[in-house]
């Protein structure tokens, strides 16, 4: 089989890239390791920047998002037993869209199917070949049968554990990483959200986040030990700990209920440079990971895809300026989002190793933040998304 672009991975990066390439008349196929049901079963991001919303509209998949998504004008920081609002709209003129990654993935999969575009699910042993030549090849096994695809380019959209980054010779890659000494225990519940907007809480017992997927489905997180296992946490234990980390009003009005999903995610900051090797381009989590505190992971995948589909369209229009500039352009925005995600994580989580001094510094920074329009504007402009 031959296509212009072979996309590895059917997460948001791969699906959005496939849709935008198709609209630009560029043939593509997606190879996905897992089943479609497995991909849709993963519970991940919840907040979309305006730039991501605009891209989903440009891809022709924004309808349900505008109908079912929730536009948020701000968020609240909770510390010292009180909540403080950061008014994105007043400070930046921008808002964010609360619409789960699962729904984004669903909408993109539906659009891909409607366009009759090929996706090979449960494609095993994907391997990439001749990436440094003019005719890369991708091999995979499906139902016991070996297949080979020849293409012009390979888009590595296969996440942190994928095969694409691993196919780049080690001496061609520079990696930057920070692993955090804690994780996030997340719960999804069909309960009314505790507040109209998200609440990010800094508490001496640990970080907590109150988010949502709709007006009837809530998403909550608490900072937990990396030694914790999901089985260690009953629903009741989770709800009681979450209440301890919130202000009195939120704790008393929190609607609890059975968890419909419960998982622990480790937190890391990670960047691989460059995001290109020959005819292979990395996008999304395949190239970088952020701690979810700043709600940047999915949104960074979107800006990578924006730069990549434009660069590939330029190539087929006769100019390689875009593909030659892709890595540098993408990394410029990636590192700013890495910085913001690291800063939000450092500000809001409990770091026992920094001791009482570190705690006082956090308290002083939070107090300064909520009393300084300049500081709140800086948080707001990063949270709503820096320009693509
Ligand atoms: P993805 O990892 O979503 O997709 C990669 C795809 O490639 C997967 O479907 C995988 O099965 C497939 N794949 C892997 N190896 C392959 C191979 N060898 N061959 C073929 N296919 C292969 N971001 C936020 O903004 N907020 C959050 O709250 C948040 N929570 C998260 C929780 C967890 C547990 C994780 C892991 C991430 C979270 N993220 C969050 C980040 C997340 O949303 C990512 O940024 C987003 O999924 C990135 O999308 P992709 O780049 O498409 O990668
Ligand atoms: C979520 O709703 O899953 C979510 C929202 C904001 C974050 C992280 C996760 O910063």
């Amino acid at each position: 089989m031959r296509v212009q672009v072979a996309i590895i991975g059917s997460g948001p990066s791969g699906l959005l890239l496939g849709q935008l390439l198709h609209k630009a008349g560029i043939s593509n196929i997606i190879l996905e390791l897992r089943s479609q049901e497995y991909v849709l079963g993963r519970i991940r991001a919840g907040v979309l920047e305006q730039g991501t919303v605009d891209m989903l509209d440009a891809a022709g998949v924004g309808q349900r998002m505008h109908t079912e998504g929730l536009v948020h004008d701000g968020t609240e920081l909770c510390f010292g037993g009180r909540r403080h609002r950061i008014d994105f709209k007043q400070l930046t003129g921008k808002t964010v869209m609360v619409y789960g990654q699962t729904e984004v993935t669903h909408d993109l999969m539906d659009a891909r199917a409607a366009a009759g575009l090929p996706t090979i699910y449960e494609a095993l042993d994907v391997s990439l070949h001749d990436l440094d030549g003019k005719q890369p090849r991708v091999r995979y096994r499906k139902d016991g049968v070996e297949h080979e695809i020849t293409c012009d380019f390979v888009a590595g959209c296969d996440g942190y554990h994928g095969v694409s980054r691993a196919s780049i010779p080690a001496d061609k890659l520079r990696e930057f990483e920070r692993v955090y000494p804690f994780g996030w225990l997340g719960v999804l519940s069909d309960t009314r959200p505790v507040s109209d907007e998200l609440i990010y809480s800094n508490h001496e017992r640990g970080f907590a986040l109150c988010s949502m997927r709709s007006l009837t489905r809530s998403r909550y997180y608490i900072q937990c030990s990396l030694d914790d296992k999901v089985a260690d946490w009953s629903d009741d234990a989770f709800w009681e700990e979450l209440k301890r980390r919130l202000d009195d009003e939120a704790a008393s009005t929190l609607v609890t209920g059975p968890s419909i999903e419960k998982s622990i995610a480790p937190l890391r900051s990670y960047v691989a440079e460059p995001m290109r090797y020959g005819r292979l381009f990395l996008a999304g989590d395949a190239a970088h990971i952020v701690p979810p505190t700043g709600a940047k992971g999915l949104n960074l995948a979107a800006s990578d895809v924006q730069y990549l589909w434009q660069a590939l369209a330029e190539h087929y229009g006769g100019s390689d300026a875009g593909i030659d500039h892709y890595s540098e352009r993408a990394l410029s925005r990636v590192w700013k989002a890495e910085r913001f995600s690291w800063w939000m994580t450092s500000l809001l989580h409990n770091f026992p190793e920094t001791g009482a001094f570190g705690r006082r510094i956090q308290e002083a920074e939070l107090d300064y933040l909520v009393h300084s329009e300049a500081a709140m504007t800086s948080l707001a402009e990063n949270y709503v998304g820096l320009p693509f």
Side-chain angles (χ1 to χ4, degrees):
M1 179 182 191
R2 192 186 198 295
V3 290
Q4 289 170 298
V5 182
I7 299 170
I8 318 298
S10 174
S13 297
L15 288 163
L16 185 53
L17 178 63
Q19 191 64 14
L20 291 165
L21 289 176
H22 169 65
K23 290 180 88 71
I26 299 171
S27 66
N28 65 87
I29 187 170
I30 293 179
L31 299 181
E32 166 57 48
L33 172 65
R34 304 286 189 172
S35 68
Q36 186 170 14
E37 296 68 31
Y38 183 95
V39 175
L40 285 170
R42 287 189 301 233
I43 306 299
R44 289 194 172 163
V47 174
L48 306 181
E49 296 172 359
Q50 185 59 50
T52 304
V53 168
D54 294 344
M55 281 188 69
L56 293 170
D57 284 336
V61 299
Q63 300 84 340
R64 196 161 70 97
M65 169 183 63
H66 290 292
T67 306
E68 299 178 15
L70 303 169
V71 175
H72 281 196
D73 293 354
T75 193
E76 291 188 294
L77 299 183
C78 179
F79 59 93
R82 288 187 55 214
R83 293 187 348 221
H84 305 261
R85 187 160 186 271
I86 309 289
D87 190 335
F88 301 147
K89 193 160 187 179
Q90 186 264 319
L91 292 163
T92 68
K94 292 183 179 178
T95 59
V96 293
M97 172 75 77
V98 173
Y99 186 66
Q101 176 173 322
T102 306
E103 308 318 315
V104 172
T105 305
H106 224 299
D107 295 341
L108 286 165
M109 282 180 176
D110 289 350
R112 187 166 184 86
L117 300 177
T119 301
I120 310 293
Y121 288 101
E122 298 177 289
L124 305 180
D125 298 329
V126 170
S127 58
L128 312 182
H129 307 272
D130 304 329
L131 293 172
D132 53 356
K134 288 199 176 306
Q135 180 102 351
R137 293 174 297 117
V138 179
R139 309 197 60 180
Y140 68 96
R141 195 171 77 255
K142 171 72 176 173
D143 299 334
V145 178
E146 294 290 337
H147 298 267
E148 180 169 286
I149 297 168
T150 55
C151 52
D152 297 331
F153 300 101
V154 179
C157 300
D158 46 349
Y160 181 73
H161 300 289
V163 66
S164 297
R165 191 180 71 247
S167 300
I168 300 176
D171 64 336
K172 304 293 184 190
L173 211 59
R174 289 184 306 283
E175 297 180 284
F176 306 82
E177 184 172 54
R178 169 162 297 187
V179 177
Y180 297 89
F182 43 74
W184 277 19
L185 169 60
V187 158
L188 195 66
S189 59
D190 279 334
T191 55
R192 176 175 48 78
V194 70
S195 173
D196 295 340
E197 295 175 330
L198 273 59
I199 303 174
Y200 288 84
S201 180
N202 169 295
H203 191 278
E204 61 188 2
R205 295 179 66 90
F207 168 80
L209 171 59
C210 301
S211 184
M212 62 194 79
R213 292 293 178 270
S214 70
L215 296 180
T216 59
R217 176 164 287 191
S218 298
R219 179 68 167 166
Y220 295 106
Y221 299 93
I222 58 172
Q223 173 183 351
C224 67
S225 162
L226 283 175
D227 299 327
D228 280 2
K229 301 282 181 290
V230 172
D232 300 337
W233 285 90
S234 67
D235 287 1
D236 288 346
F238 176 85
W239 295 121
E240 287 316 303
E241 187 59 35
L242 175 62
K243 288 178 184 176
R244 291 188 191 102
R245 300 185 187 187
L246 298 175
D247 60 287
D248 292 343
E249 184 203 353
S252 63
T253 57
L254 179 71
V255 177
T256 66
S259 60
I260 56 176
E261 192 270 356
K262 194 189 298 180
S263 55
I264 292 178
L267 272 64
R268 78 174 72 238
S269 299
Y270 173 86
V271 179
E273 294 183 359
M275 291 171 56
R276 174 189 187 180
Y277 174 69
R279 294 272 174 144
L280 169 65
F281 294 89
L282 302 180
D285 278 18
H288 42 74
I289 297 287
V290 285
T293 326
K296 291 294 149 225
L298 176 53
N299 294 295
L300 270 185
S303 50
D304 289 350
V305 165
Q306 176 75 350
Y307 302 148
L308 185 52
W309 88 261
Q310 288 176 332
L312 291 170
E314 267 182 53
H315 165 81
Y316 289 108
S319 164
D320 279 355
I323 58 174
D324 290 343
H325 188 50
Y326 166 74
S327 179
E328 181 188 351
R329 186 181 185 199
L331 284 169
S332 171
R333 191 170 193 273
V334 164
W335 274 112
K336 294 184 182 74
E338 289 282 349
R339 180 210 66 83
F340 176 67
S341 303
W342 161 83
W343 176 76
M344 282 282 275
T345 303
S346 305
L347 178 66
L348 294 169
H349 289 75
N350 211 347
F351 291 80
E353 67 278 17
T354 61
F357 178 81
R359 181 102 197 111
R360 285 287 186 272
I361 292 293
Q362 278 186 337
E363 290 168 359
E365 180 155 15
L366 285 161
D367 185 35
Y368 161 68
L369 173 60
V370 298
H371 292 98
S372 161
E373 182 158 343
M376 286 188 285
T377 302
S378 174
L379 186 157
E381 68 178 2
N382 280 277
Y383 195 95
V384 299
L386 297 177
F388 274 24

